[in-house]
Amino acid sequence: AKMQGGDAVHSFESHIKERVNERITLRNDLAVASENGELDLHYQPLVHAQSGVIEGFEALVRWNHPSMGYIPPPRFTSLAEETGQIMPLGEWVLRRACCDIKAINDRLGTQYRVAVNVSPLQFHRKDFLARLRHVLEETGLPASRLDIELTEGVLVNRTEAAIATLHTLRSMGIGTAIDDFGTGYSSLSYLRDLPISKVKLDRSFLQESDDGSRNAAIVQGVITMAHSLGLQVVAEGVETEAQREDLRTRKCDLLQGYLFARPMPMPALKQFLHGSTAH
Ligand code: C2E
Ligand code: CA
Ligand code: CA
Ligand code: CA
């Protein structure tokens, strides 16, 4: 028993060491990942629930690490937030997303929107708006084609600065969406006086459960209240025809999920659109 205890302590220590080493490695590697061309953006369509017409795309970052392979975004975005690397990473994502969708719109004569995930750290920075304006100028994407996705935590404290930033975004014509809606502490009432344009209903509310009727009640409640506040509702994680039909009946505005398309890299997106646009 004594030996086993010792081994357990030893393996616990080595486990922690491994984790720390891995973090140091990832941190160093992330610093050069964009220069090395290891980062990529994948795009997933958002479609109008009633017509099935594509409104635009959410940009989702991908890191293909040279030795560790594909690393899921929450793992390195949270690390990047701790180290401050989220600033250059976030700006890379924003510039790249605006540039890609501008190119598609120019080529196809479309007006697609692009939704970009912005970390709370980015959003709260004093120079956030200035950098955003700069990227829009550089890329030429009209502000009215951009949506910024924020998690509800960003606005829970409703600081004056955050509210002022939202007002400026609105006056610029930029859309704002509350991501993963319903998973935090917020209720819709906190959105009442905030200039937000969309809520994205978390996909956990679409899952069938023993208590399926309860989820359905929440979904309907969010849609009804959001509409009364003048907000659009996006349902994330739509995987089945039944979910689509249900959301359509409930007057959900926009749908996103594997049923329509998985997030795709640019070449695949171009092909996907080629098939769906008359050209
Ligand atoms: P999110 O913003 O909630 O993004 C939606 C996630 O759901 C994506 O995971 C997407 O691939 C996945 N998804 C889409 N449709 C379906 C579906 O029908 N079924 C299921 N099961 N999943 C679906 P992904 O790409 O792994 O991203 C995970 C999270 O990482 C995102 O969650 C977002 O919070 C964060 N993230 C991704 N890209 C960025 C970025 O550029 N910046 C920041 N700050 N965070 C990002
Ligand atoms: Ca999102
Ligand atoms: Ca989400
Ligand atoms: Ca999520």
Side-chain angles (χ1 to χ4, degrees), residues 58 115-118 147-151 177 179 200 236 256:
E58 178 175 4
V116 176
N117 294 284
V118 168
D147 282 310
I148 296 293
E149 295 198 0
L150 302 163
T151 47
D179 212 343
K200 296 191 79 171
E236 311 186 296
Q256 181 181 357

Side-chain angles (χ1 to χ4, degrees), residues 179-180 202-203 236:
D179 212 343
D180 303 339
D202 192 73
R203 74 181 158 86
E236 311 186 296

Side-chain angles (χ1 to χ4, degrees), residues 47-64:
V47 309
H48 287 283
Q50 303 302 328
S51 63
V53 169
I54 298 172
E55 184 201 56
F57 310 92
E58 178 175 4
L60 295 154
V61 70
R62 298 289 178 258
W63 182 12
N64 201 354

